[in-house]
Every structure is written in structure tokens, then in C-alpha cells.
Amino acid sequence: MADNGATSARIAMIGCGNLGSAIVQRWLSSATLTVDQLTACTAREHTSQQLARTLGIACSTDLARTLASADVAVLAFKPQQRALLLPRLAALPQRPLWISLLAGVPLAELQATLGGRVVRWMPNTPVAVGAGMVAQCTTAAVGADDLTTCAQLLRPLGASLGLAEAQFDAFTAVAGCGPAYVFAFCEALAAAATAQGLDEATAGEIARQTMIGAAQLLAVSSEPMAVLRQQVTSKGGMTEAALASLGAQHWAGVLDQAVAAAVAQAKQLRA
């Protein structure tokens, strides 16, 4: 691996929607990959042309051409399309390292169709700014060189961890869905500020910067989250009153139920 974190692997994106495009842009902006190392395949010609203009990489609707020289193929299409696309990929002579971004699709299903070396990733949307959280699990056929390539590709996306596939639903319910929870909380905080007489623009700016500042403090502090919370909470003060009100509404239990609902939905989608 080069000192700047670059990899020599050639990557084919099979499907390249919002998440796939964000990952590609992050790889390019971090100099992990060059445009010459990336190709993409989409279902529609106009989408392919648009991606080529936006990302500067070779794009087509031809699976065989896209995979022709790929060392790694990233499956970034919608999970609902797998019944059509996985057999078509399996019929091609190329046998790259397969990296699946297909939510809810287990390794066993992927390997049964594709064979070979299969890795499953579950990224969240902050990968677009290099602040993501990505879970990874692999099949037994994945070797040391494959893991090195994965590490090189994961590094610019943010933090990553190896996780048993049985824990992927819980991970997705927290990390995958989590940015939406944070954005929803920020919306509610801004609405609460508006209810106290602040104009909408000012309330939004305050709520946004408060969330950003708290997240940055969490990122650099070695203190546990509970300690950081306590440091803001003076006895008999405003924060204590606010947290007591939240506690009376059992907000932690509500969040627990929300995560459980997301896990239950994941199981239902696989049924």
C-alpha cells in the first residue's frame, strides 16, 4: 500500500445510486483511487451517461464490459434486483472479490449464487464525508490480500469493524438508521426553539451547530458519554430540568423501541 493510502485495485460498481456514488466520490477525493481504476454499470443509459459526467469514471450498461478487468466488484444495486442480477453476474467468467452493500441479503445467499470470495459491508451515509461507520463480515474464502484491499477501501470512509453477520440487523438499526434519528432529533430541537419565540432560521442554525459541536466534542473526548452528559448538567439547573422532563417521557425507552422496530423490519424484509 502506498503511503497516501491508495490502492492499486480496480473497482467495478454494479449499480451506483446515492450511497454508491457517495462512496466513489470519497475514494476519489481521498486519492484512494483514481478515475482510471473505477468503472460503473447501471440499468439505464442516461443514468450511465450522467454518472460519467458527474464522477468522471467509465460507465456503461454492459455488465461484462464493466467487470472485464475488475479486481473488486461492489454490489450497490437495490436488494430487490438481486434475483435478476446475481445470476447474470454468476454467469460471467470474471471472479473478482465481491463486496456487497445489499441490505438484508446474507452472505450464504450471495455465495450460493456467486461463489468465490464474498464480503458484506453495511455502511451509513456519513461515509460521504469520511465520518461513516461500516460493519464488515466475510466468507471463509476471503484471504489476507482481500482483507488488505478491503482495509484500504474502508479507511477513507470513516471507522469500521468486523462483526458477526447475526449482529448486522442490530448494527443497521443503530448505525445505518442512526443518522436519520439524529436529523429527526435536530429537527425537533429546532422546532422546540421556534416554540420558545426564536425565528425558524435562527432556531435551525442553533440546533444544527449544537448537534455539530456536541458530536465533535464526543469525537475528541476520552470521557464516557455519561460523563460528558453530567458535565453539562448542573444540579438544580436548566439542563437537569430538561433531562428530567425527557426522562418522565421515557424517551430512552422510546428509542429502544425504535431500534427494536428497525430490527424487526429487517427480519420481515428477509421473510
Side-chain angles (χ1 to χ4, degrees), residues 63-175:
L63 278 175
R65 185 194 310 170
T66 302
L67 279 176
S69 60
D71 303 303
V72 179
V74 179
L75 308 180
F77 48 84
K78 290 181 174 61
Q80 299 91 324
Q81 297 175 310
R82 67 188 188 277
L84 170 67
L85 290 176
L86 291 181
R88 290 178 59 191
L89 291 168
L92 296 174
Q94 295 86 359
R95 287 294 174 265
L97 170 66
W98 304 100
I99 297 178
S100 171
L101 308 184
L102 308 182
V105 182
L107 284 172
E109 178 181 338
L110 295 166
Q111 192 166 40
T113 306
L114 299 174
R117 300 124 60 217
V118 185
V119 175
R120 186 177 169 193
W121 283 359
M122 178 49 59
N124 63 4
T125 54
V127 296
V129 293
M133 184 76 233
V134 188
Q136 174 176 278
C137 61
T138 70
T139 58
V142 173
D145 288 346
D146 296 326
L147 292 175
T148 296
T149 297
C150 286
Q152 292 168 334
L153 295 173
L154 285 169
R155 191 170 295 115
L157 304 182
S160 62
L161 76 167
L163 207 60
E165 191 171 34
Q167 298 174 305
F168 259 49
D169 286 348
F171 175 89
T172 305
V174 176

Side-chain angles (χ1 to χ4, degrees), residues 195-244:
Q196 294 303 315
L198 292 167
D199 66 83
E200 189 172 325
T202 301
E205 181 181 356
I206 292 170
R208 180 189 294 266
Q209 186 55 43
T210 299
M211 298 293 288
I212 292 169
Q216 290 179 347
L217 183 58
L218 186 64
V220 302
S221 176
S222 60
E223 297 285 7
M225 289 176 279
V227 171
L228 292 175
R229 171 180 52 78
Q230 291 162 5
Q231 289 173 348
V232 188
T233 311
S234 301
K235 187 169 181 60
M238 295 169 65
T239 306
E240 186 179 66
L243 290 175

